[in-house]
Amino acid sequence: MPFVFDQSEIEWPDDGSDPQPRADQFVYLPAPEYGGQHEPVRFSLDVPPEPPAPESVPFPRPSLWDRLRGRKPSATQRAPAVAAWHDARTAHAAFVRQRLLAAAVPALGELGVRQLYCRYDGGNDEGFAWLDSATLRDGTRIDREALVEQLVAHKLLDRLIARGVTRRYDAMSEHKQVASFMHDWLCTEFAAMLLGSGYGTGEHVLYGAFTVDFDAGTVVDDPGADPVTRNREIAR
């Protein structure tokens, strides 16, 4: 799990700026302590049947007439509707994630990719993840830009569009759209599997890295990750 610096009991600078912790002030937290999953986190490429659209199960709210009359349903009355609303969104999120994996992972495998190494950081109610590098089956390690170039040549965007994962954006080049998918979407999905969908929420700063192994179908955190960040400052 991540390296974490707790901000809840520190003295903040008088100028209102964010404090910049040193790398040696971070503490590495095992998975259960941070709220994530037990490792290794396993994933598959199986896509479940598409569930009903989440919008078909609206969040239960009192009607305008009830609000005007000051009437509110009790927690017991609202509970089944709230549970159905959460279940619908959970099922849809699982479908979207699996559809994404089923489209992207085989394309990476065809290029000989065995592992992805992703980094993450965040805190103060934000979490970020991005691709660092990839390892091929022959042991060669390539950087993210080299991988993106290969994925563009391999027509990954066309595959994603055909599987309903995304669409083509005229304002973005194909290279930029594939890079955004790899950095901001695919790695973020794997980070959420490992850390929980709300990683970065709370009065803390975090950083870390993890390895996605396509042969084993696992996501494993790196307990020796270097203090590399893109969205939070760490003092050297």
Side-chain angles (χ1 to χ4, degrees):
M1 279 299 127
F3 291 86
V4 176
F5 174 72
D6 186 358
Q7 295 178 308
S8 62
E9 296 183 3
I10 64 171
E11 185 175 341
W12 288 68
D14 294 334
D15 61 5
S17 61
D18 291 339
Q20 292 187 5
R22 302 186 312 273
D24 62 3
Q25 292 179 296
F26 284 75
V27 177
Y28 186 77
L29 293 182
E33 292 184 26
Y34 184 74
Q37 302 297 313
H38 289 278
E39 296 184 87
V41 176
R42 300 193 178 277
F43 65 89
S44 75
L45 305 185
D46 297 333
V47 182
E50 184 171 4
E55 294 76 17
S56 66
V57 185
F59 187 80
R61 293 184 176 86
S63 68
L64 176 61
W65 180 247
D66 286 338
R67 292 200 300 271
L68 290 174
R69 306 234 1 211
R71 295 189 302 199
K72 296 182 180 180
S74 68
T76 301
Q77 292 172 321
R78 294 179 71 244
V82 171
W85 182 82
H86 282 294
D87 288 346
R89 277 147 182 78
T90 299
H92 186 261
F95 169 76
V96 170
R97 179 181 65 246
Q98 293 304 118
R99 182 178 61 181
L100 179 155
L101 296 180
V105 172
L108 289 162
E110 290 168 15
L111 293 176
V113 176
R114 181 170 61 88
Q115 294 180 338
L116 295 181
Y117 189 71
C118 303
R119 297 187 183 276
Y120 58 87
D121 64 13
N124 298 307
D125 298 337
E126 292 183 300
F128 307 90
W130 65 95
L131 177 64
D132 180 271
S133 60
T135 301
L136 306 183
R137 297 195 179 281
D138 63 5
T140 302
R141 191 165 184 171
I142 61 174
D143 64 28
R144 59 193 180 199
E145 289 307 315
L147 179 59
V148 168
E149 290 286 355
Q150 292 186 31
L151 289 170
V152 171
H154 204 57
K155 300 298 182 183
L156 175 64
L157 183 58
D158 289 344
R159 292 185 177 212
L160 298 177
I161 293 171
R163 296 295 291 267
V165 173
T166 188
R167 61 184 179 86
R168 194 177 301 275
Y169 294 93
D170 294 335
M172 297 176 67
S173 67
E174 185 167 351
H175 182 279
K176 187 173 182 180
Q177 194 166 346
V178 170
S180 177
F181 171 78
M182 291 300 298
H183 301 331
D184 305 325
W185 196 350
L186 184 61
C187 286
T188 297
E189 286 290 343
F190 284 122
M193 291 182 204
L194 178 69
L195 306 171
S197 59
Y199 73 94
T201 300
E203 295 181 83
H204 63 272
V205 177
L206 78 158
Y207 75 85
F210 57 85
T211 298
V212 182
D213 190 305
F214 295 131
D215 287 346
T218 58
V219 184
V220 179
D221 203 55
D222 180 3
D226 294 327
V228 176
T229 61
R230 292 204 313 182
N231 306 282
R232 295 292 182 267
E233 295 292 332
I234 297 179
R236 304 297 178 180

Short mmCIF file of all heavy atoms in Angstrom, two decimals, residues 164-227:
data_model
loop_
_atom_site.label_atom_id
_atom_site.label_comp_id
_atom_site.label_asym_id
_atom_site.label_seq_id
_atom_site.Cartn_x
_atom_site.Cartn_y
_atom_site.Cartn_z
N GLY A 164 -16.68 -0.09 -27.47
CA GLY A 164 -17.54 0.82 -26.73
C GLY A 164 -16.90 1.44 -25.50
O GLY A 164 -17.59 2.01 -24.66
N VAL A 165 -15.56 1.34 -25.42
CA VAL A 165 -14.87 1.87 -24.25
C VAL A 165 -14.78 3.39 -24.30
O VAL A 165 -14.92 4.08 -23.28
CB VAL A 165 -13.45 1.27 -24.14
CG1 VAL A 165 -12.65 1.93 -23.02
CG2 VAL A 165 -13.54 -0.23 -23.90
N THR A 166 -14.55 3.94 -25.48
CA THR A 166 -14.40 5.38 -25.63
C THR A 166 -14.86 5.76 -27.03
O THR A 166 -15.37 4.94 -27.79
CB THR A 166 -12.93 5.81 -25.40
OG1 THR A 166 -12.84 7.23 -25.37
CG2 THR A 166 -12.01 5.25 -26.47
N ARG A 167 -14.67 7.02 -27.38
CA ARG A 167 -14.97 7.49 -28.72
C ARG A 167 -13.83 8.38 -29.20
O ARG A 167 -12.96 8.75 -28.41
CB ARG A 167 -16.30 8.27 -28.75
CG ARG A 167 -16.32 9.51 -27.89
CD ARG A 167 -17.69 10.14 -27.91
NE ARG A 167 -17.79 11.33 -27.08
CZ ARG A 167 -17.47 12.55 -27.45
NH1 ARG A 167 -17.01 12.76 -28.69
NH2 ARG A 167 -17.60 13.58 -26.65
N ARG A 168 -13.81 8.70 -30.45
CA ARG A 168 -12.76 9.54 -31.00
C ARG A 168 -13.09 11.01 -30.75
O ARG A 168 -14.20 11.46 -31.03
CB ARG A 168 -12.59 9.29 -32.49
CG ARG A 168 -11.30 9.88 -33.06
CD ARG A 168 -11.19 9.52 -34.55
NE ARG A 168 -11.20 8.08 -34.76
CZ ARG A 168 -10.10 7.32 -34.68
NH1 ARG A 168 -8.94 7.86 -34.36
NH2 ARG A 168 -10.19 6.02 -34.89
N TYR A 169 -12.13 11.73 -30.19
CA TYR A 169 -12.31 13.15 -29.91
C TYR A 169 -11.55 13.96 -30.95
O TYR A 169 -10.31 13.87 -31.05
CB TYR A 169 -11.82 13.49 -28.51
CG TYR A 169 -12.64 12.83 -27.42
CD1 TYR A 169 -12.25 11.59 -26.88
CD2 TYR A 169 -13.80 13.42 -26.94
CE1 TYR A 169 -13.00 10.98 -25.89
CE2 TYR A 169 -14.56 12.82 -25.95
CZ TYR A 169 -14.15 11.59 -25.44
OH TYR A 169 -14.90 10.98 -24.47
N ASP A 170 -12.27 14.77 -31.72
CA ASP A 170 -11.65 15.53 -32.80
C ASP A 170 -10.62 16.53 -32.28
O ASP A 170 -9.67 16.87 -32.99
CB ASP A 170 -12.72 16.27 -33.61
CG ASP A 170 -13.65 15.30 -34.35
OD1 ASP A 170 -13.21 14.17 -34.61
OD2 ASP A 170 -14.80 15.69 -34.63
N ALA A 171 -10.80 17.00 -31.05
CA ALA A 171 -9.89 18.01 -30.51
C ALA A 171 -8.57 17.41 -30.00
O ALA A 171 -7.66 18.14 -29.64
CB ALA A 171 -10.57 18.77 -29.36
N MET A 172 -8.47 16.07 -30.00
CA MET A 172 -7.26 15.41 -29.50
C MET A 172 -6.66 14.55 -30.61
O MET A 172 -7.38 13.87 -31.34
CB MET A 172 -7.57 14.52 -28.30
CG MET A 172 -8.09 15.26 -27.08
SD MET A 172 -8.54 14.10 -25.74
CE MET A 172 -6.92 13.43 -25.30
N SER A 173 -5.34 14.58 -30.73
CA SER A 173 -4.68 13.69 -31.67
C SER A 173 -4.81 12.25 -31.19
O SER A 173 -5.07 11.99 -30.00
CB SER A 173 -3.19 14.05 -31.79
OG SER A 173 -2.52 13.76 -30.57
N GLU A 174 -4.63 11.29 -32.09
CA GLU A 174 -4.73 9.89 -31.70
C GLU A 174 -3.67 9.54 -30.66
O GLU A 174 -3.93 8.83 -29.69
CB GLU A 174 -4.58 8.98 -32.92
CG GLU A 174 -4.79 7.51 -32.60
CD GLU A 174 -4.94 6.65 -33.84
OE1 GLU A 174 -5.05 7.22 -34.94
OE2 GLU A 174 -4.96 5.41 -33.70
N HIS A 175 -2.47 10.08 -30.83
CA HIS A 175 -1.39 9.83 -29.87
C HIS A 175 -1.76 10.35 -28.48
O HIS A 175 -1.59 9.65 -27.47
CB HIS A 175 -0.09 10.50 -30.35
CG HIS A 175 1.07 10.26 -29.44
ND1 HIS A 175 1.28 10.99 -28.28
CD2 HIS A 175 2.10 9.36 -29.51
CE1 HIS A 175 2.37 10.56 -27.68
NE2 HIS A 175 2.89 9.58 -28.39
N LYS A 176 -2.30 11.55 -28.44
CA LYS A 176 -2.65 12.14 -27.15
C LYS A 176 -3.80 11.37 -26.50
O LYS A 176 -3.82 11.19 -25.27
CB LYS A 176 -3.04 13.60 -27.33
CG LYS A 176 -3.26 14.35 -26.01
CD LYS A 176 -3.46 15.83 -26.24
CE LYS A 176 -3.63 16.57 -24.91
NZ LYS A 176 -3.82 18.03 -25.12
N GLN A 177 -4.74 10.90 -27.28
CA GLN A 177 -5.86 10.17 -26.71
C GLN A 177 -5.42 8.81 -26.17
O GLN A 177 -5.87 8.38 -25.10
CB GLN A 177 -6.97 9.99 -27.75
CG GLN A 177 -8.29 9.56 -27.14
CD GLN A 177 -9.46 9.70 -28.09
OE1 GLN A 177 -9.37 10.37 -29.11
NE2 GLN A 177 -10.57 9.07 -27.76
N VAL A 178 -4.52 8.11 -26.87
CA VAL A 178 -4.01 6.84 -26.38
C VAL A 178 -3.18 7.06 -25.13
O VAL A 178 -3.28 6.30 -24.15
CB VAL A 178 -3.19 6.12 -27.47
CG1 VAL A 178 -2.45 4.92 -26.89
CG2 VAL A 178 -4.09 5.67 -28.61
N ALA A 179 -2.35 8.11 -25.13
CA ALA A 179 -1.54 8.41 -23.94
C ALA A 179 -2.44 8.70 -22.75
O ALA A 179 -2.18 8.22 -21.63
CB ALA A 179 -0.62 9.60 -24.22
N SER A 180 -3.49 9.47 -22.94
CA SER A 180 -4.41 9.78 -21.86
C SER A 180 -5.09 8.52 -21.35
O SER A 180 -5.27 8.35 -20.13
CB SER A 180 -5.46 10.80 -22.34
OG SER A 180 -6.41 11.06 -21.33
N PHE A 181 -5.46 7.63 -22.26
CA PHE A 181 -6.10 6.39 -21.84
C PHE A 181 -5.17 5.57 -20.95
O PHE A 181 -5.56 5.07 -19.90
CB PHE A 181 -6.51 5.57 -23.07
CG PHE A 181 -6.97 4.18 -22.72
CD1 PHE A 181 -8.25 3.97 -22.23
CD2 PHE A 181 -6.12 3.09 -22.86
CE1 PHE A 181 -8.68 2.69 -21.89
CE2 PHE A 181 -6.54 1.81 -22.53
CZ PHE A 181 -7.82 1.62 -22.04
N MET A 182 -3.92 5.43 -21.37
CA MET A 182 -2.97 4.63 -20.61
C MET A 182 -2.64 5.27 -19.27
O MET A 182 -2.62 4.60 -18.22
CB MET A 182 -1.68 4.43 -21.42
CG MET A 182 -1.86 3.55 -22.65
SD MET A 182 -2.42 1.87 -22.24
CE MET A 182 -1.05 1.28 -21.24
N HIS A 183 -2.35 6.56 -19.27
CA HIS A 183 -1.91 7.23 -18.04
C HIS A 183 -3.07 7.47 -17.08
O HIS A 183 -2.98 7.17 -15.88
CB HIS A 183 -1.26 8.58 -18.37
CG HIS A 183 -0.08 8.47 -19.29
ND1 HIS A 183 0.74 7.37 -19.33
CD2 HIS A 183 0.41 9.33 -20.20
CE1 HIS A 183 1.69 7.57 -20.22
NE2 HIS A 183 1.51 8.75 -20.77
N ASP A 184 -4.14 8.04 -17.60
CA ASP A 184 -5.19 8.58 -16.73
C ASP A 184 -6.37 7.64 -16.51
O ASP A 184 -7.19 7.88 -15.63
CB ASP A 184 -5.73 9.90 -17.33
CG ASP A 184 -4.63 10.90 -17.58
OD1 ASP A 184 -3.67 10.93 -16.78
OD2 ASP A 184 -4.72 11.65 -18.57
N TRP A 185 -6.47 6.58 -17.33
CA TRP A 185 -7.64 5.72 -17.21
C TRP A 185 -7.25 4.31 -16.81
O TRP A 185 -7.66 3.82 -15.75
CB TRP A 185 -8.41 5.71 -18.53
CG TRP A 185 -9.80 5.18 -18.42
CD1 TRP A 185 -10.36 4.55 -17.34
CD2 TRP A 185 -10.83 5.21 -19.42
NE1 TRP A 185 -11.66 4.19 -17.60
CE2 TRP A 185 -11.97 4.58 -18.87
CE3 TRP A 185 -10.88 5.69 -20.72
CZ2 TRP A 185 -13.15 4.44 -19.60
CZ3 TRP A 185 -12.05 5.55 -21.44
CH2 TRP A 185 -13.18 4.94 -20.88
N LEU A 186 -6.44 3.64 -17.63
CA LEU A 186 -6.11 2.26 -17.34
C LEU A 186 -5.37 2.13 -16.01
O LEU A 186 -5.73 1.32 -15.15
CB LEU A 186 -5.28 1.66 -18.47
CG LEU A 186 -4.96 0.17 -18.33
CD1 LEU A 186 -6.24 -0.67 -18.30
CD2 LEU A 186 -4.05 -0.29 -19.48
N CYS A 187 -4.32 2.92 -15.80
CA CYS A 187 -3.57 2.84 -14.55
C CYS A 187 -4.43 3.25 -13.35
O CYS A 187 -4.28 2.71 -12.26
CB CYS A 187 -2.31 3.71 -14.62
SG CYS A 187 -1.01 2.99 -15.65
N THR A 188 -5.33 4.19 -13.58
CA THR A 188 -6.22 4.61 -12.49
C THR A 188 -7.16 3.48 -12.10
O THR A 188 -7.46 3.30 -10.91
CB THR A 188 -7.02 5.85 -12.92
OG1 THR A 188 -6.10 6.94 -13.15
CG2 THR A 188 -8.01 6.27 -11.84
N GLU A 189 -7.63 2.70 -13.06
CA GLU A 189 -8.49 1.56 -12.74
C GLU A 189 -7.73 0.54 -11.90
O GLU A 189 -8.26 0.02 -10.90
CB GLU A 189 -9.00 0.90 -14.03
CG GLU A 189 -10.07 1.69 -14.76
CD GLU A 189 -11.40 1.69 -14.01
OE1 GLU A 189 -11.59 0.86 -13.11
OE2 GLU A 189 -12.25 2.54 -14.34
N PHE A 190 -6.49 0.25 -12.27
CA PHE A 190 -5.70 -0.70 -11.49
C PHE A 190 -5.40 -0.15 -10.10
O PHE A 190 -5.40 -0.88 -9.11
CB PHE A 190 -4.41 -1.05 -12.22
CG PHE A 190 -4.59 -2.00 -13.37
CD1 PHE A 190 -4.19 -1.65 -14.65
CD2 PHE A 190 -5.16 -3.24 -13.17
CE1 PHE A 190 -4.36 -2.52 -15.71
CE2 PHE A 190 -5.34 -4.13 -14.23
CZ PHE A 190 -4.93 -3.76 -15.50
N ALA A 191 -5.16 1.16 -10.01
CA ALA A 191 -4.91 1.77 -8.70
C ALA A 191 -6.13 1.66 -7.80
O ALA A 191 -6.01 1.38 -6.60
CB ALA A 191 -4.52 3.24 -8.87
N ALA A 192 -7.32 1.85 -8.38
CA ALA A 192 -8.54 1.74 -7.59
C ALA A 192 -8.77 0.31 -7.12
O ALA A 192 -9.28 0.08 -6.01
CB ALA A 192 -9.74 2.22 -8.41
N MET A 193 -8.40 -0.69 -7.94
CA MET A 193 -8.51 -2.08 -7.50
C MET A 193 -7.64 -2.33 -6.28
O MET A 193 -8.04 -3.03 -5.35
CB MET A 193 -8.05 -3.02 -8.63
CG MET A 193 -8.95 -3.09 -9.83
SD MET A 193 -8.27 -4.30 -11.00
CE MET A 193 -8.99 -3.71 -12.52
N LEU A 194 -6.44 -1.76 -6.30
CA LEU A 194 -5.47 -2.00 -5.24
C LEU A 194 -5.76 -1.19 -3.99
O LEU A 194 -5.74 -1.70 -2.86
CB LEU A 194 -4.07 -1.68 -5.75
CG LEU A 194 -2.91 -1.82 -4.77
CD1 LEU A 194 -2.67 -3.29 -4.43
CD2 LEU A 194 -1.65 -1.20 -5.36
N LEU A 195 -6.03 0.11 -4.18
CA LEU A 195 -6.11 1.05 -3.06
C LEU A 195 -7.53 1.35 -2.61
O LEU A 195 -7.73 1.92 -1.54
CB LEU A 195 -5.43 2.37 -3.45
CG LEU A 195 -3.99 2.28 -3.95
CD1 LEU A 195 -3.54 3.62 -4.50
CD2 LEU A 195 -3.07 1.84 -2.83
N GLY A 196 -8.53 1.00 -3.43
CA GLY A 196 -9.90 1.40 -3.16
C GLY A 196 -10.24 2.62 -4.00
O GLY A 196 -9.39 3.45 -4.30
N SER A 197 -11.50 2.75 -4.37
CA SER A 197 -11.90 3.82 -5.28
C SER A 197 -11.72 5.21 -4.69
O SER A 197 -11.63 6.19 -5.41
CB SER A 197 -13.36 3.63 -5.71
OG SER A 197 -14.21 3.63 -4.57
N GLY A 198 -11.64 5.32 -3.38
CA GLY A 198 -11.50 6.63 -2.75
C GLY A 198 -10.08 6.91 -2.30
O GLY A 198 -9.87 7.73 -1.40
N TYR A 199 -9.07 6.30 -2.94
CA TYR A 199 -7.71 6.52 -2.47
C TYR A 199 -7.33 8.00 -2.63
O TYR A 199 -7.70 8.65 -3.58
CB TYR A 199 -6.71 5.61 -3.19
CG TYR A 199 -6.41 5.96 -4.63
CD1 TYR A 199 -5.31 6.75 -4.96
CD2 TYR A 199 -7.18 5.46 -5.68
CE1 TYR A 199 -5.00 7.05 -6.27
CE2 TYR A 199 -6.89 5.75 -6.98
CZ TYR A 199 -5.79 6.55 -7.28
OH TYR A 199 -5.50 6.84 -8.60
N GLY A 200 -6.60 8.49 -1.63
CA GLY A 200 -6.24 9.90 -1.60
C GLY A 200 -7.19 10.74 -0.78
O GLY A 200 -6.94 11.92 -0.54
N THR A 201 -8.31 10.15 -0.31
CA THR A 201 -9.28 10.90 0.47
C THR A 201 -8.82 10.99 1.91
O THR A 201 -8.53 9.99 2.56
CB THR A 201 -10.65 10.21 0.42
OG1 THR A 201 -11.09 10.14 -0.94
CG2 THR A 201 -11.68 11.00 1.23
N GLY A 202 -8.74 12.21 2.43
CA GLY A 202 -8.36 12.39 3.83
C GLY A 202 -7.22 13.39 3.99
O GLY A 202 -6.66 13.91 3.02
N GLU A 203 -6.90 13.67 5.25
CA GLU A 203 -5.85 14.64 5.56
C GLU A 203 -4.48 13.96 5.53
O GLU A 203 -3.87 13.72 6.57
CB GLU A 203 -6.11 15.27 6.93
CG GLU A 203 -7.37 16.10 7.00
CD GLU A 203 -7.56 16.71 8.38
OE1 GLU A 203 -6.96 17.77 8.65
OE2 GLU A 203 -8.28 16.10 9.18
N HIS A 204 -4.02 13.65 4.36
CA HIS A 204 -2.72 13.02 4.22
C HIS A 204 -2.20 13.23 2.81
O HIS A 204 -2.94 13.62 1.90
CB HIS A 204 -2.80 11.53 4.54
CG HIS A 204 -3.67 10.75 3.59
ND1 HIS A 204 -5.02 10.59 3.78
CD2 HIS A 204 -3.38 10.08 2.45
CE1 HIS A 204 -5.53 9.87 2.80
NE2 HIS A 204 -4.56 9.55 1.96
N VAL A 205 -0.92 12.97 2.64
CA VAL A 205 -0.28 12.94 1.33
C VAL A 205 0.22 11.52 1.12
O VAL A 205 0.68 10.87 2.07
CB VAL A 205 0.89 13.94 1.25
CG1 VAL A 205 1.58 13.85 -0.11
CG2 VAL A 205 0.40 15.36 1.49
N LEU A 206 0.12 11.01 -0.09
CA LEU A 206 0.58 9.65 -0.34
C LEU A 206 1.32 9.57 -1.67
O LEU A 206 1.13 10.41 -2.55
CB LEU A 206 -0.58 8.66 -0.33
CG LEU A 206 -1.48 8.58 -1.56
CD1 LEU A 206 -2.19 7.24 -1.61
CD2 LEU A 206 -2.52 9.70 -1.56
N TYR A 207 2.16 8.56 -1.77
CA TYR A 207 2.79 8.23 -3.05
C TYR A 207 3.09 6.74 -3.04
O TYR A 207 3.08 6.09 -1.99
CB TYR A 207 4.08 9.03 -3.28
CG TYR A 207 5.26 8.56 -2.47
CD1 TYR A 207 6.08 7.52 -2.92
CD2 TYR A 207 5.58 9.15 -1.24
CE1 TYR A 207 7.16 7.08 -2.17
CE2 TYR A 207 6.66 8.72 -0.49
CZ TYR A 207 7.45 7.69 -0.97
OH TYR A 207 8.52 7.24 -0.22
N GLY A 208 3.35 6.20 -4.21
CA GLY A 208 3.69 4.79 -4.29
C GLY A 208 3.72 4.32 -5.73
O GLY A 208 3.64 5.12 -6.67
N ALA A 209 3.84 3.01 -5.90
CA ALA A 209 3.88 2.41 -7.23
C ALA A 209 3.42 0.96 -7.12
O ALA A 209 3.45 0.37 -6.04
CB ALA A 209 5.29 2.48 -7.81
N PHE A 210 2.99 0.41 -8.24
CA PHE A 210 2.55 -0.99 -8.24
C PHE A 210 2.86 -1.62 -9.59
O PHE A 210 3.09 -0.92 -10.60
CB PHE A 210 1.06 -1.11 -7.92
CG PHE A 210 0.16 -0.34 -8.85
CD1 PHE A 210 -0.27 -0.88 -10.05
CD2 PHE A 210 -0.29 0.93 -8.51
CE1 PHE A 210 -1.11 -0.18 -10.91
CE2 PHE A 210 -1.13 1.66 -9.36
CZ PHE A 210 -1.54 1.09 -10.55
N THR A 211 2.89 -2.95 -9.60
CA THR A 211 3.15 -3.72 -10.81
C THR A 211 1.89 -4.49 -11.20
O THR A 211 1.28 -5.15 -10.36
CB THR A 211 4.30 -4.71 -10.59
OG1 THR A 211 5.50 -3.98 -10.29
CG2 THR A 211 4.54 -5.56 -11.84
N VAL A 212 1.51 -4.38 -12.46
CA VAL A 212 0.41 -5.16 -13.02
C VAL A 212 1.03 -6.28 -13.85
O VAL A 212 1.78 -6.01 -14.80
CB VAL A 212 -0.49 -4.30 -13.92
CG1 VAL A 212 -1.66 -5.13 -14.45
CG2 VAL A 212 -1.00 -3.08 -13.17
N ASP A 213 0.76 -7.52 -13.47
CA ASP A 213 1.31 -8.68 -14.17
C ASP A 213 0.19 -9.34 -14.97
O ASP A 213 -0.76 -9.88 -14.39
CB ASP A 213 1.91 -9.67 -13.16
CG ASP A 213 2.69 -10.78 -13.83
OD1 ASP A 213 2.11 -11.46 -14.70
OD2 ASP A 213 3.87 -10.97 -13.49
N PHE A 214 0.30 -9.31 -16.29
CA PHE A 214 -0.77 -9.83 -17.14
C PHE A 214 -0.79 -11.36 -17.16
O PHE A 214 -1.85 -11.97 -17.33
CB PHE A 214 -0.65 -9.29 -18.55
CG PHE A 214 -0.86 -7.80 -18.63
CD1 PHE A 214 0.03 -6.99 -19.32
CD2 PHE A 214 -1.93 -7.21 -18.00
CE1 PHE A 214 -0.16 -5.62 -19.39
CE2 PHE A 214 -2.13 -5.84 -18.06
CZ PHE A 214 -1.24 -5.04 -18.76
N ASP A 215 0.36 -11.99 -17.01
CA ASP A 215 0.39 -13.46 -16.98
C ASP A 215 -0.31 -14.00 -15.74
O ASP A 215 -1.07 -14.96 -15.81
CB ASP A 215 1.83 -13.96 -17.02
CG ASP A 215 2.49 -13.78 -18.38
OD1 ASP A 215 1.75 -13.52 -19.35
OD2 ASP A 215 3.72 -13.89 -18.47
N ALA A 216 -0.02 -13.38 -14.60
CA ALA A 216 -0.61 -13.83 -13.33
C ALA A 216 -1.98 -13.24 -13.09
O ALA A 216 -2.74 -13.74 -12.25
CB ALA A 216 0.33 -13.48 -12.17
N GLY A 217 -2.32 -12.14 -13.80
CA GLY A 217 -3.59 -11.46 -13.55
C GLY A 217 -3.63 -10.82 -12.18
O GLY A 217 -4.64 -10.91 -11.48
N THR A 218 -2.52 -10.15 -11.80
CA THR A 218 -2.42 -9.59 -10.45
C THR A 218 -1.95 -8.13 -10.48
O THR A 218 -1.30 -7.68 -11.42
CB THR A 218 -1.44 -10.38 -9.58
OG1 THR A 218 -0.14 -10.39 -10.21
CG2 THR A 218 -1.92 -11.82 -9.38
N VAL A 219 -2.30 -7.44 -9.40
CA VAL A 219 -1.79 -6.09 -9.13
C VAL A 219 -1.13 -6.16 -7.76
O VAL A 219 -1.77 -6.54 -6.77
CB VAL A 219 -2.92 -5.04 -9.12
CG1 VAL A 219 -2.33 -3.64 -8.93
CG2 VAL A 219 -3.75 -5.12 -10.38
N VAL A 220 0.17 -5.77 -7.68
CA VAL A 220 0.92 -5.88 -6.44
C VAL A 220 1.65 -4.56 -6.18
O VAL A 220 2.32 -4.02 -7.07
CB VAL A 220 1.96 -7.03 -6.51
CG1 VAL A 220 2.75 -7.10 -5.21
CG2 VAL A 220 1.25 -8.35 -6.77
N ASP A 221 1.51 -4.04 -4.97
CA ASP A 221 2.15 -2.79 -4.61
C ASP A 221 3.66 -2.99 -4.48
O ASP A 221 4.14 -4.09 -4.19
CB ASP A 221 1.58 -2.28 -3.29
CG ASP A 221 1.77 -0.78 -3.12
OD1 ASP A 221 1.35 -0.04 -4.02
OD2 ASP A 221 2.34 -0.36 -2.10
N ASP A 222 4.41 -1.91 -4.69
CA ASP A 222 5.87 -1.94 -4.56
C ASP A 222 6.27 -1.30 -3.23
O ASP A 222 6.22 -0.08 -3.10
CB ASP A 222 6.50 -1.17 -5.73
CG ASP A 222 8.02 -1.16 -5.66
OD1 ASP A 222 8.58 -1.78 -4.74
OD2 ASP A 222 8.65 -0.52 -6.53
N PRO A 223 6.67 -2.10 -2.25
CA PRO A 223 7.04 -1.55 -0.95
C PRO A 223 8.35 -0.77 -0.96
O PRO A 223 8.69 -0.11 0.01
CB PRO A 223 7.15 -2.79 -0.05
CG PRO A 223 7.49 -3.89 -0.98
CD PRO A 223 6.78 -3.58 -2.26
N GLY A 224 9.08 -0.85 -2.07
CA GLY A 224 10.33 -0.10 -2.18
C GLY A 224 10.26 1.01 -3.19
O GLY A 224 11.30 1.45 -3.71
N ALA A 225 9.05 1.52 -3.48
CA ALA A 225 8.89 2.55 -4.50
C ALA A 225 9.66 3.82 -4.15
O ALA A 225 9.69 4.24 -2.99
CB ALA A 225 7.40 2.88 -4.67
N ASP A 226 10.30 4.41 -5.14
CA ASP A 226 10.98 5.69 -4.95
C ASP A 226 9.95 6.80 -4.76
O ASP A 226 8.84 6.71 -5.27
CB ASP A 226 11.87 6.01 -6.16
CG ASP A 226 13.02 5.03 -6.31
OD1 ASP A 226 13.51 4.56 -5.26
OD2 ASP A 226 13.42 4.76 -7.46
N PRO A 227 10.32 7.87 -4.04
CA PRO A 227 9.39 8.99 -3.82
C PRO A 227 9.24 9.87 -5.06
O PRO A 227 9.69 11.03 -5.09
CB PRO A 227 10.01 9.73 -2.64
CG PRO A 227 11.48 9.46 -2.77
CD PRO A 227 11.58 8.05 -3.30
#
